[in-house]
Amino acid sequence: FCSSHHPPPLPLPTSTAEGRKWKDAVIATRSHDRYEASYDFARYKEADPPGVESWIKAKPHGTWCAENPPAIAIDCEMCETKDPVTGVTDAKALCRISIISAINPDEVLLDTLVKPAWPVIDYRTRINGIKAEHLETVQFTLRHAQAFLMALCSEETVITGHALHNDLVALKMEHHV
């Protein structure tokens, strides 16, 4: 038996009483048949074309995040972009992010449009309502969204959302809780 072949156990929300309320839901989610394939971040990272932004991963829980909600809900909208140099496309380029507290859903933590790094070739307006003119003056980028999430989330923060793995891929955020 060699422990170096086994990854460390995934974190669970155990540091706060409010977080512990979500522990069973996290365990149940991880036991789903499609969890492993949907949250295979190594596969997503390998599929990234050269020149895209770096992936992030939340830090361990600590005093730095004691005032942050232990659970949040996220919804992201994506568009398709194309690198004008290589011609490579990104079908999951972030163009809007909305985050609320899952403890107090009336608390909107972030709701903003996001300027993609590459030119947009399909806004997906029929799905998300976003048009070219909506993004013209936007200065907030994926890296801004990532910085916000790094300040908001510890590795124990429970993130909920519909088809959440797609949002995490658009955010380039590896997260298992």
Coordinates of all heavy atoms in Angstrom, one line a residue, residues 107-174:
E107 N -29.6 38.4 0.1 CA -28.3 39.1 0.1 C -27.6 38.8 -1.2 O -27.1 37.7 -1.4 CB -27.5 38.6 1.3 CG -26.2 39.3 1.5 CD -25.4 38.8 2.7 OE1 -25.8 37.9 3.4 OE2 -24.3 39.3 2.8
V108 N -27.6 39.7 -2.1 CA -26.9 39.6 -3.3 C -25.5 40.0 -3.1 O -25.2 41.1 -2.7 CB -27.5 40.5 -4.4 CG1 -26.7 40.5 -5.7 CG2 -29.0 40.1 -4.7
L109 N -24.6 39.1 -3.3 CA -23.1 39.3 -3.1 C -22.4 39.9 -4.3 O -21.5 40.7 -4.2 CB -22.5 38.0 -2.6 CG -23.1 37.4 -1.4 CD1 -22.5 36.0 -1.2 CD2 -22.9 38.2 -0.2
L110 N -22.9 39.5 -5.5 CA -22.3 40.0 -6.7 C -23.3 39.7 -7.8 O -23.9 38.6 -7.9 CB -21.0 39.3 -7.0 CG -20.2 39.7 -8.3 CD1 -19.7 41.1 -8.2 CD2 -19.0 38.8 -8.5
D111 N -23.5 40.7 -8.7 CA -24.3 40.5 -9.9 C -23.8 41.4 -10.9 O -24.1 42.6 -10.9 CB -25.8 40.8 -9.6 CG -26.7 40.4 -10.7 OD1 -26.3 39.7 -11.7 OD2 -27.9 40.9 -10.7
T112 N -23.0 40.9 -11.9 CA -22.4 41.8 -12.8 C -22.1 41.1 -14.2 O -22.0 39.9 -14.2 CB -21.1 42.4 -12.3 OG1 -20.5 43.3 -13.2 CG2 -20.0 41.3 -12.1
L113 N -22.1 41.9 -15.2 CA -21.6 41.4 -16.5 C -20.1 41.3 -16.4 O -19.4 41.9 -15.6 CB -22.0 42.4 -17.6 CG -23.5 42.5 -17.9 CD1 -23.8 43.7 -18.8 CD2 -24.1 41.2 -18.4
V114 N -19.6 40.4 -17.3 CA -18.1 40.1 -17.3 C -17.6 40.3 -18.7 O -18.2 39.7 -19.7 CB -17.8 38.7 -16.8 CG1 -16.4 38.4 -16.8 CG2 -18.4 38.5 -15.3
K115 N -16.5 41.0 -18.9 CA -15.9 41.2 -20.2 C -15.1 40.0 -20.6 O -14.1 39.8 -19.9 CB -15.1 42.5 -20.2 CG -14.5 42.8 -21.6 CD -15.5 43.5 -22.5 CE -14.9 44.1 -23.6 NZ -15.9 44.8 -24.4
P116 N -15.4 39.2 -21.6 CA -14.6 38.1 -22.0 C -13.2 38.6 -22.5 O -13.1 39.7 -23.1 CB -15.3 37.4 -23.1 CG -16.8 37.9 -22.9 CD -16.6 39.3 -22.4
A117 N -12.2 37.7 -22.4 CA -10.8 38.1 -22.8 C -10.7 38.2 -24.3 O -10.0 39.0 -24.9 CB -9.8 37.1 -22.2
W118 N -11.4 37.3 -25.0 CA -11.4 37.2 -26.5 C -12.6 37.8 -27.1 O -13.7 37.8 -26.4 CB -11.2 35.8 -26.9 CG -9.9 35.1 -26.5 CD1 -8.8 35.7 -26.0 CD2 -9.7 33.7 -26.5 NE1 -7.9 34.7 -25.7 CE2 -8.4 33.5 -26.0 CE3 -10.5 32.6 -26.8 CZ2 -7.8 32.2 -25.9 CZ3 -9.9 31.3 -26.7 CH2 -8.6 31.1 -26.2
P119 N -12.6 38.2 -28.4 CA -13.8 38.7 -29.0 C -14.9 37.6 -29.0 O -14.7 36.4 -29.2 CB -13.3 38.9 -30.5 CG -11.8 39.2 -30.3 CD -11.4 38.3 -29.2
V120 N -16.1 38.1 -28.8 CA -17.3 37.2 -28.8 C -17.8 36.9 -30.2 O -17.9 37.8 -31.0 CB -18.4 37.8 -28.0 CG1 -19.7 36.9 -28.0 CG2 -18.0 38.1 -26.5
I121 N -18.0 35.6 -30.4 CA -18.5 35.2 -31.7 C -20.0 34.7 -31.6 O -20.7 34.6 -32.6 CB -17.6 34.1 -32.4 CG1 -17.5 32.9 -31.6 CG2 -16.3 34.7 -32.8 CD1 -16.8 31.7 -32.3
D122 N -20.4 34.4 -30.4 CA -21.8 34.0 -30.2 C -22.2 34.5 -28.8 O -21.7 33.9 -27.8 CB -22.0 32.5 -30.3 CG -23.5 32.1 -30.2 OD1 -24.4 33.0 -29.9 OD2 -23.8 30.9 -30.3
Y123 N -23.0 35.5 -28.7 CA -23.4 36.0 -27.4 C -24.4 35.1 -26.7 O -24.6 35.3 -25.5 CB -24.0 37.5 -27.5 CG -23.0 38.5 -27.8 CD1 -22.6 38.8 -29.1 CD2 -22.3 39.1 -26.8 CE1 -21.6 39.7 -29.4 CE2 -21.4 40.1 -27.0 CZ -21.0 40.4 -28.3 OH -20.0 41.3 -28.6
R124 N -25.1 34.2 -27.4 CA -26.1 33.4 -26.9 C -27.3 34.2 -26.3 O -27.8 33.8 -25.2 CB -25.6 32.4 -25.9 CG -24.5 31.5 -26.5 CD -24.2 30.3 -25.6 NE -23.1 29.5 -26.2 CZ -22.0 29.1 -25.6 NH1 -21.8 29.4 -24.4 NH2 -21.2 28.3 -26.3
T125 N -27.6 35.3 -27.0 CA -28.6 36.2 -26.5 C -30.0 35.5 -26.3 O -30.7 35.8 -25.3 CB -28.8 37.4 -27.5 OG1 -27.5 38.0 -27.7 CG2 -29.8 38.4 -27.0
R126 N -30.3 34.5 -27.1 CA -31.5 33.8 -27.0 C -31.6 33.0 -25.7 O -32.7 32.7 -25.2 CB -31.7 32.8 -28.2 CG -30.7 31.6 -28.1 CD -30.5 30.9 -29.5 NE -29.5 29.9 -29.4 CZ -28.2 30.1 -29.4 NH1 -27.7 31.3 -29.5 NH2 -27.3 29.1 -29.3
I127 N -30.5 32.7 -25.0 CA -30.4 32.0 -23.8 C -30.3 33.0 -22.6 O -31.0 32.9 -21.6 CB -29.3 31.0 -23.7 CG1 -29.5 29.9 -24.8 CG2 -29.1 30.3 -22.4 CD1 -28.3 29.1 -25.1
N128 N -29.3 33.9 -22.7 CA -29.0 34.8 -21.6 C -29.4 36.2 -21.7 O -29.3 37.0 -20.7 CB -27.5 34.7 -21.4 CG -26.7 35.2 -22.5 OD1 -27.1 36.1 -23.3 ND2 -25.5 34.6 -22.7
G129 N -29.9 36.6 -22.8 CA -30.4 38.0 -23.0 C -29.3 39.0 -23.2 O -29.5 40.2 -23.3
I130 N -28.0 38.6 -23.2 CA -26.9 39.5 -23.3 C -26.6 39.8 -24.8 O -26.5 38.9 -25.6 CB -25.7 38.9 -22.6 CG1 -26.0 38.8 -21.1 CG2 -24.4 39.8 -22.8 CD1 -24.9 38.0 -20.3
K131 N -26.4 41.1 -25.1 CA -26.1 41.6 -26.4 C -24.8 42.3 -26.4 O -24.3 42.7 -25.4 CB -27.2 42.5 -26.9 CG -28.6 41.9 -27.0 CD -29.6 42.9 -27.4 CE -31.0 42.2 -27.5 NZ -32.0 43.2 -27.8
A132 N -24.2 42.5 -27.6 CA -22.9 43.1 -27.8 C -22.9 44.5 -27.0 O -21.9 44.8 -26.3 CB -22.6 43.3 -29.2
E133 N -23.9 45.3 -27.2 CA -23.9 46.6 -26.5 C -23.9 46.5 -25.0 O -23.4 47.4 -24.3 CB -25.1 47.5 -27.0 CG -26.5 46.9 -26.8 CD -27.0 46.1 -28.0 OE1 -26.2 45.6 -28.8 OE2 -28.3 46.0 -28.1
H134 N -24.4 45.4 -24.4 CA -24.3 45.3 -23.0 C -22.9 45.1 -22.5 O -22.6 45.5 -21.3 CB -25.1 44.0 -22.5 CG -26.6 44.2 -22.8 ND1 -27.3 43.1 -23.3 CD2 -27.4 45.2 -22.7 CE1 -28.6 43.5 -23.4 NE2 -28.7 44.7 -23.1
L135 N -22.0 44.6 -23.3 CA -20.6 44.3 -22.8 C -19.6 45.4 -23.2 O -18.5 45.4 -22.8 CB -20.2 42.9 -23.3 CG -20.9 41.7 -22.8 CD1 -20.4 40.4 -23.4 CD2 -20.8 41.6 -21.3
E136 N -20.1 46.3 -24.1 CA -19.2 47.3 -24.6 C -18.3 48.1 -23.6 O -17.1 48.3 -23.8 CB -19.9 48.4 -25.5 CG -20.3 47.8 -26.9 CD -21.1 48.8 -27.7 OE1 -21.3 50.0 -27.2 OE2 -21.6 48.4 -28.8
T137 N -19.0 48.5 -22.5 CA -18.2 49.3 -21.5 C -17.9 48.6 -20.3 O -17.4 49.1 -19.3 CB -19.1 50.6 -21.1 OG1 -20.3 50.1 -20.5 CG2 -19.4 51.4 -22.3
V138 N -18.1 47.3 -20.3 CA -17.8 46.4 -19.1 C -16.3 46.4 -18.9 O -15.5 46.1 -19.8 CB -18.4 45.0 -19.2 CG1 -18.0 44.1 -18.1 CG2 -19.9 45.1 -19.3
Q139 N -15.9 46.6 -17.6 CA -14.4 46.5 -17.3 C -14.1 45.3 -16.4 O -13.0 44.9 -16.3 CB -14.0 47.8 -16.5 CG -14.2 49.0 -17.3 CD -13.2 49.1 -18.5 OE1 -12.0 48.9 -18.3 NE2 -13.7 49.4 -19.7
F140 N -15.2 44.7 -15.8 CA -15.0 43.5 -14.9 C -14.7 42.3 -15.7 O -15.4 42.0 -16.7 CB -16.3 43.4 -14.1 CG -16.3 42.5 -12.9 CD1 -15.9 43.0 -11.7 CD2 -16.5 41.1 -13.0 CE1 -15.9 42.2 -10.6 CE2 -16.5 40.3 -11.9 CZ -16.2 40.8 -10.7
T141 N -13.6 41.6 -15.4 CA -13.1 40.4 -16.1 C -13.2 39.1 -15.3 O -13.6 39.2 -14.1 CB -11.7 40.7 -16.6 OG1 -10.9 40.6 -15.4 CG2 -11.5 42.0 -17.3
L142 N -12.9 38.1 -16.0 CA -12.8 36.8 -15.3 C -11.9 36.8 -14.1 O -12.2 36.3 -13.0 CB -12.4 35.7 -16.3 CG -12.1 34.3 -15.6 CD1 -13.3 33.7 -14.9 CD2 -11.5 33.4 -16.7
R143 N -10.8 37.5 -14.3 CA -9.8 37.6 -13.1 C -10.4 38.4 -12.0 O -10.1 38.0 -10.8 CB -8.5 38.2 -13.6 CG -7.7 37.3 -14.5 CD -7.4 35.9 -14.0 NE -6.1 36.0 -13.2 CZ -5.6 34.9 -12.6 NH1 -6.3 33.8 -12.6 NH2 -4.5 35.0 -11.9
H144 N -11.2 39.4 -12.2 CA -11.9 40.1 -11.2 C -12.9 39.1 -10.5 O -13.0 39.1 -9.2 CB -12.7 41.3 -11.7 CG -11.8 42.4 -12.2 ND1 -11.7 42.7 -13.5 CD2 -11.0 43.2 -11.6 CE1 -10.9 43.7 -13.7 NE2 -10.5 44.1 -12.5
A145 N -13.6 38.3 -11.2 CA -14.5 37.4 -10.6 C -13.8 36.3 -9.8 O -14.2 36.0 -8.7 CB -15.4 36.7 -11.7
Q146 N -12.7 35.9 -10.3 CA -11.8 34.9 -9.6 C -11.3 35.5 -8.2 O -11.3 34.9 -7.2 CB -10.7 34.4 -10.4 CG -11.1 33.5 -11.5 CD -9.9 33.1 -12.4 OE1 -9.0 33.9 -12.6 NE2 -10.0 31.9 -12.9
A147 N -10.9 36.8 -8.3 CA -10.4 37.5 -7.1 C -11.5 37.6 -6.1 O -11.3 37.4 -4.9 CB -9.8 38.8 -7.4
F148 N -12.7 37.9 -6.5 CA -13.9 38.0 -5.6 C -14.1 36.6 -5.0 O -14.3 36.6 -3.8 CB -15.1 38.5 -6.4 CG -16.3 38.7 -5.6 CD1 -16.6 39.9 -5.0 CD2 -17.2 37.7 -5.4 CE1 -17.7 40.1 -4.2 CE2 -18.4 37.8 -4.6 CZ -18.6 39.1 -4.0
L149 N -14.1 35.6 -5.8 CA -14.4 34.2 -5.2 C -13.3 33.8 -4.3 O -13.6 33.2 -3.2 CB -14.6 33.2 -6.4 CG -15.9 33.4 -7.1 CD1 -15.8 32.7 -8.4 CD2 -17.0 32.8 -6.2
M150 N -12.1 34.2 -4.5 CA -11.0 33.8 -3.6 C -11.1 34.5 -2.3 O -10.7 34.0 -1.2 CB -9.6 34.1 -4.3 CG -9.2 33.2 -5.4 SD -9.0 31.5 -5.0 CE -7.5 31.6 -4.1
A151 N -11.7 35.7 -2.3 CA -11.9 36.5 -1.0 C -13.2 36.0 -0.3 O -13.3 36.1 0.9 CB -12.0 38.0 -1.3
L152 N -14.1 35.4 -1.1 CA -15.4 35.0 -0.5 C -15.4 33.5 0.0 O -15.9 33.2 1.0 CB -16.5 35.1 -1.6 CG -17.9 34.7 -1.2 CD1 -18.5 35.6 -0.1 CD2 -18.8 34.7 -2.4
C153 N -14.7 32.7 -0.8 CA -14.8 31.2 -0.5 C -13.6 30.6 0.1 O -12.5 30.8 -0.4 CB -15.1 30.5 -1.9 SG -16.6 30.9 -2.7
S154 N -13.8 29.8 1.1 CA -12.8 28.9 1.6 C -13.0 27.5 0.9 O -14.1 27.3 0.2 CB -12.8 28.7 3.1 OG -13.8 27.8 3.5
E155 N -12.2 26.6 1.1 CA -12.4 25.2 0.5 C -13.6 24.5 1.1 O -14.0 23.5 0.6 CB -11.1 24.4 0.6 CG -10.7 24.0 2.0 CD -9.4 23.2 2.1 OE1 -8.8 23.0 1.1 OE2 -9.1 22.8 3.2
E156 N -14.1 25.1 2.2 CA -15.3 24.5 2.8 C -16.6 25.2 2.4 O -17.7 24.8 2.8 CB -15.2 24.6 4.4 CG -14.1 23.7 4.9 CD -14.1 23.6 6.4 OE1 -15.1 23.9 7.1 OE2 -13.0 23.3 7.0
T157 N -16.5 26.3 1.7 CA -17.7 27.1 1.3 C -18.5 26.2 0.4 O -18.0 25.6 -0.6 CB -17.4 28.4 0.6 OG1 -16.5 29.2 1.4 CG2 -18.6 29.1 0.2
V158 N -19.8 26.0 0.7 CA -20.7 25.2 -0.1 C -21.2 26.1 -1.2 O -21.7 27.2 -1.0 CB -21.9 24.6 0.7 CG1 -22.9 23.9 -0.2 CG2 -21.4 23.7 1.8
I159 N -21.0 25.6 -2.5 CA -21.5 26.4 -3.6 C -22.6 25.6 -4.3 O -22.4 24.4 -4.6 CB -20.4 26.7 -4.6 CG1 -19.2 27.4 -4.0 CG2 -20.9 27.4 -5.8 CD1 -18.0 27.7 -4.9
T160 N -23.8 26.2 -4.4 CA -24.9 25.5 -5.1 C -25.2 26.2 -6.4 O -24.9 27.4 -6.6 CB -26.1 25.5 -4.2 OG1 -26.5 26.9 -3.9 CG2 -25.8 24.9 -2.8
G161 N -25.9 25.5 -7.2 CA -26.3 26.1 -8.5 C -26.7 25.0 -9.5 O -26.3 23.8 -9.3
H162 N -27.5 25.4 -10.4 CA -28.0 24.4 -11.5 C -26.8 24.1 -12.4 O -26.2 25.0 -12.9 CB -29.2 25.0 -12.3 CG -29.6 24.1 -13.4 ND1 -30.3 23.0 -13.2 CD2 -29.4 24.3 -14.7 CE1 -30.5 22.4 -14.4 NE2 -30.0 23.2 -15.3
A163 N -26.5 22.8 -12.6 CA -25.4 22.4 -13.5 C -24.2 23.2 -13.1 O -23.5 23.7 -13.9 CB -25.7 22.5 -14.9
L164 N -23.9 23.2 -11.8 CA -22.8 24.0 -11.2 C -21.5 23.7 -11.8 O -20.6 24.7 -12.0 CB -22.7 23.8 -9.7 CG -21.6 24.5 -9.0 CD1 -21.9 26.0 -9.0 CD2 -21.5 24.0 -7.5
H165 N -21.2 22.5 -12.2 CA -19.9 22.2 -12.8 C -19.6 23.1 -14.1 O -18.5 23.5 -14.3 CB -19.8 20.7 -13.2 CG -20.8 20.2 -14.1 ND1 -22.1 20.0 -13.8 CD2 -20.7 19.9 -15.4 CE1 -22.7 19.6 -14.9 NE2 -21.9 19.5 -15.9
N166 N -20.7 23.4 -14.8 CA -20.5 24.3 -16.0 C -20.0 25.7 -15.6 O -19.2 26.3 -16.2 CB -21.7 24.4 -16.8 CG -22.0 23.0 -17.5 OD1 -21.1 22.4 -18.1 ND2 -23.3 22.6 -17.5
D167 N -20.7 26.2 -14.5 CA -20.3 27.5 -14.0 C -18.9 27.5 -13.4 O -18.1 28.5 -13.7 CB -21.3 28.0 -12.9 CG -22.7 28.2 -13.4 OD1 -22.8 28.3 -14.7 OD2 -23.6 28.4 -12.6
L168 N -18.5 26.5 -12.7 CA -17.1 26.4 -12.2 C -16.1 26.3 -13.3 O -15.0 26.9 -13.2 CB -17.0 25.2 -11.3 CG -17.8 25.3 -10.0 CD1 -17.7 24.0 -9.2 CD2 -17.3 26.4 -9.1
V169 N -16.4 25.6 -14.4 CA -15.5 25.6 -15.6 C -15.4 27.0 -16.2 O -14.3 27.4 -16.5 CB -16.0 24.6 -16.6 CG1 -15.2 24.7 -17.9 CG2 -15.9 23.2 -16.1
A170 N -16.5 27.7 -16.3 CA -16.5 29.1 -16.9 C -15.6 30.0 -16.0 O -14.9 30.9 -16.4 CB -17.9 29.6 -17.1
L171 N -15.7 29.8 -14.7 CA -15.0 30.6 -13.7 C -13.5 30.1 -13.5 O -12.7 30.7 -12.9 CB -15.7 30.5 -12.3 CG -17.0 31.2 -12.2 CD1 -17.8 30.8 -11.0 CD2 -16.7 32.7 -12.2
K172 N -13.2 28.9 -14.1 CA -11.9 28.3 -13.9 C -11.6 28.2 -12.5 O -10.5 28.6 -12.0 CB -10.9 29.0 -14.7 CG -11.2 29.1 -16.2 CD -10.1 29.3 -17.1 CE -10.4 29.4 -18.5 NZ -11.2 28.2 -19.0
M173 N -12.6 27.6 -11.7 CA -12.4 27.4 -10.3 C -12.6 25.9 -10.0 O -13.7 25.3 -10.2 CB -13.5 28.2 -9.5 CG -13.4 28.1 -8.0 SD -14.5 29.1 -7.2 CE -14.0 28.9 -5.5
E174 N -11.6 25.3 -9.4 CA -11.7 23.9 -8.9 C -12.3 24.0 -7.5 O -11.7 24.6 -6.6 CB -10.3 23.3 -8.9 CG -10.3 21.9 -8.4 CD -9.0 21.2 -8.5 OE1 -8.1 21.7 -9.2 OE2 -8.8 20.1 -7.9

